[in-house]
Amino acid sequence: SPETEGGGRNAPLDIIAGGVLGSVQVIKALTPDLDGQGIGGTVNVDTKSPFDKDETLWGYATGRYGFEEIEPDDRAYGGENPYALDGTIAGQNKAGTFGWLLAGSWTDREYIAPGYYADDWAVNAPDAGTGSVGGAAPVNVKNNYYVIGRERLNLNAALELRPDDNTKYFARAFYATWDEFQHRNRYEQNFDTDVVFETPTSGTSGANRIAINIRNEETTKEIFSLAAGGENVFEALTFNYEVQMNQNKIDEDYSFWEWRSGKNFGPNTWTLNGDGIVVITPDVGTPDRQDPSLIDFRRARFQDSHMDEDAFSGQFDVRWDRDSDTWFKAGVKARQVERSWDYSVDRYDDAGAGLTLGTSSAFTNGAFTNCNEIMCAPNIFMDYEAMNAFLADPANAAYFSFNNDDTFISEFASDYDITETVLAGYVMGVRQVGPVQLIAGVRVEATDVDSSGYLLDGDAAARVSDGGDYVTILPDVLANWDVTDSLKLRGSVTRALGRPDYDAIAPRSSYSEEAGVANLSIGNPDLEARVSWNYDASVEWYPNELTLLSAAIFYKDISDDLVGLSEQFTTQADIVAELERRGLTGAVDPADITQSLNVSTTVNAGTSTLKGIELIAQTQFDNFLPEALAGFGVSASTTFLDGETKVNGETLPLVNQAEQTYAFSAFYQNHGFDASVSYAYNDSFLTDVDLNNPDNDLDQGEFGRWDARLSYELRDNLKVFIEGVNLNNEPTTEFQGRDETRITEYEYVGSTVYLGFSYGF
């Protein structure tokens, strides 16, 4: 899938509408016939098939319309109620040998997300001279009026031919496009001058700056996937084969206007409440902090970025059923990805002609108080389209100075081209020994990477190329034991890999030299995938056909983890050798480096471990409730994790892993009703690490959300429904320094209620 950051491998599941899904399969312990990528497992997403129903013609349609709790201000940008349409039509001939399917989905949603942000908390020491008792406070206090929108179109088509029971052929096509925008109206009060703590949570501050900005980011993404293949059975042999082509594109542009005053807003009084919110109150007679004429133009930036990705893959598998208890399987797969990223930013600075936010009345739509559940703060509605028109008018050229140096650097620094080729092969066998099924095999994946980027040196950009290759051996052993018809034990030892992101591999780089000290930031094409030994065991008990109780434990030992690293080279021989190793000979003159060469990059240097337990329970009460109450049930799951990463001798919590998650759902399915109430929770987790100063570490805060849904079948195949999402208006939060009182983000999106219908035939 296309990724907005340009280098990621994530495939967010919301690119595929629910209306075109056939099933979603989660595989926790990989077998050798599955791709080795995926330390946490594999999510296999299947789109619909014309043979999902044994009908010559079938289909369905769904429509929904929503209402957002947070309604837009009339002066704000965007904000419309959401709606969605899904439809599928499919059929097959009477003989059941040929089938076809067409499916489509359209969604449109815009929502408001008011938020509070407090950046860079700092500790202020007691000061007897000012009477300050000291304490901690952020150096910036920000609030956003954020509008986020997305239009998404999915189209899915399939043709399948089944001339007999031993032969299948298929062709599938999937197309998705979506247009997104993120419109951020931000107001920032600096809080770093003459801050005095009269108590640990209140005090005074001197005159500070006001900085506000408006950013509108517009993104267009496109996916096209075409696959064809088949299956042939010849007695004990089964052959499967498939080829696939993917094309991904993304265009991501933005307009970003920044305005900033001098330090003339104050003095002030301030308070810090228990939620970590700083409320600043100007003293009487101080300047109006929402007066546009007092806020000067700083700079405007215009991004133009584009990514193209072409991927091709083919695989062939053969299975031999030796007897009813034993079968073997082997296969090969080849995949090649070519990704190109082109990025540039044009920058305009203040030319000193006195441009302010009040120069044109079209720049603003009025001051307002930005409120959510946790705070109210001052802000000003701004109009970036009016600002763009002002810049485009030649009569206003004297206000702007084009920044050639910054524009040149951004034109090349992030660009890269990359080709990644993966060749894989595997063998495996399955043996049924009484109630025990044994699975064993090995997969080998060879990865080759060729990449190129630009090295910046003064006013020149040199094209550099590099590459790397590695081979990963992935053995797997799994066992499934049916102790009884209702009790199952599973265990496995598997090995999986996680390849580095594309932007970490590409040799895109920047170089600067001053007084004989050179700084080089560069990607690392020699990076290899992190690899993990995975140990899993589980027990499942099905006391009746409507009940599941299970417990699973797991342990992951990850080596060659990917970490950032800085290195320093001081001798001329070492400097020359490092430049040569990086493919920079000729692009950089080592004679200019008389003191040291400082290189920052990403390397395979860390080790991580992750262990945990997962508990699941689900049941329906039909076995002991009266018939009138039949249909009630509950499901619950929870996971406890304990992970750590060791980098340069220091032990840190595992990044991006919550130590506890759980989910609960109560449901009723009977008499035409289908109702559920659900709650999902994850606790806080570390997201960013500063090895030099842990006080700058960032954690995502805990999050728990309530959802509900009710549908009723009016008549055969026609249902109406109502559903509520995020009914408790849970905010997303972030905090600094492992201290939950040092809040750096509070953002609310409100709850959404949908009304809809579905009809099938």
Side-chain angles (χ1 to χ4, degrees), residues 493-513:
V493 178
T494 61
R495 200 170 191 233
L497 61 87
R499 292 184 177 88
D501 286 345
Y502 293 111
D503 56 354
I505 303 172
R508 57 177 182 170
S509 54
S510 61
Y511 173 80
S512 63
E513 181 272 323

Side-chain angles (χ1 to χ4, degrees), residues 282-432:
D283 289 357
V284 176
T286 58
D288 180 3
R289 53 183 172 166
Q290 291 176 285
D291 183 349
S293 66
L294 301 180
I295 303 174
D296 303 318
F297 172 66
R298 184 186 182 194
R299 62 185 177 185
R301 289 177 286 173
F302 303 92
Q303 173 183 290
D304 181 11
S305 64
H306 178 78
M307 187 274 285
D308 278 307
E309 180 182 274
D310 295 313
F312 303 89
S313 66
Q315 66 183 67
F316 178 84
D317 303 271
V318 57
R319 170 172 163 164
W320 173 39
D321 289 275
R322 180 181 176 183
D323 53 46
S324 60
D325 294 326
T326 308
W327 56 266
F328 299 94
K329 192 177 181 182
V332 293
K333 182 175 182 177
R335 176 179 62 84
Q336 185 173 80
V337 177
E338 296 179 351
R339 178 180 284 209
S340 176
W341 187 267
D342 184 27
Y343 174 91
S344 64
V345 175
D346 291 341
R347 172 176 164 179
Y348 294 85
D349 294 330
D350 179 29
L355 181 63
T356 73
L357 191 60
T359 298
S360 170
S361 60
F363 288 169
T364 62
N365 295 323
F368 71 103
T369 301
N370 189 21
C371 292
N372 59 31
E373 298 288 332
I374 203 72
M375 61 85 194
C376 286
N379 206 315
I380 302 173
F381 280 123
M382 293 173 283
D383 190 331
Y384 81 95
E385 293 176 326
M387 298 175 188
N388 289 352
F390 187 89
L391 173 64
D393 188 345
N396 301 320
Y399 288 111
F400 304 99
S401 173
F402 186 72
N403 190 316
N404 288 287
D405 292 340
D406 187 77
T407 299
F408 172 80
I409 291 172
S410 65
E411 177 70 31
F412 294 99
S414 297
D415 294 358
Y416 68 83
D417 293 284
I418 208 164
T419 300
E420 181 181 77
T421 304
V422 178
L423 301 177
Y426 73 91
V427 293
M428 63 179 291
V430 177
R431 174 69 174 173
Q432 189 76 35

Side-chain angles (χ1 to χ4, degrees), residues 28 65 133 146 178 240 309 323 559 610 643-644 674:
K28 299 179 182 179
Y65 188 86
V133 299
Y146 211 176
W178 55 103
N240 290 94
E309 180 182 274
D323 53 46
S559 59
L610 177 66
E644 63 181 27
D674 189 342

Side-chain angles (χ1 to χ4, degrees), residues 186-206:
R186 170 172 284 179
Y187 185 99
E188 172 184 332
Q189 301 177 79
N190 292 166
F191 192 61
D192 58 359
T193 302
D194 299 331
V195 177
V196 175
F197 286 76
E198 295 176 345
T199 74
T201 58
S202 64
T204 61
S205 62

Side-chain angles (χ1 to χ4, degrees), residues 58 99-100 103 114 197 235 302 347 369 406 422 439 493 529 638 711 714-715:
W58 59 273
W100 58 273
F197 286 76
E235 296 182 349
F302 303 92
R347 172 176 164 179
T369 301
D406 187 77
V422 178
I439 305 171
V493 178
T638 184
S711 72
L714 292 174
R715 61 184 181 84

Side-chain angles (χ1 to χ4, degrees), residues 432-463:
Q432 189 76 35
V433 183
V436 179
Q437 182 191 59
L438 299 174
I439 305 171
V442 62
R443 185 180 185 91
V444 179
E445 297 203 0
T447 306
D448 181 82
V449 178
D450 293 311
S451 57
S452 62
Y454 287 96
L455 174 73
L456 304 184
D457 185 5
D459 58 356
R463 187 77 171 182

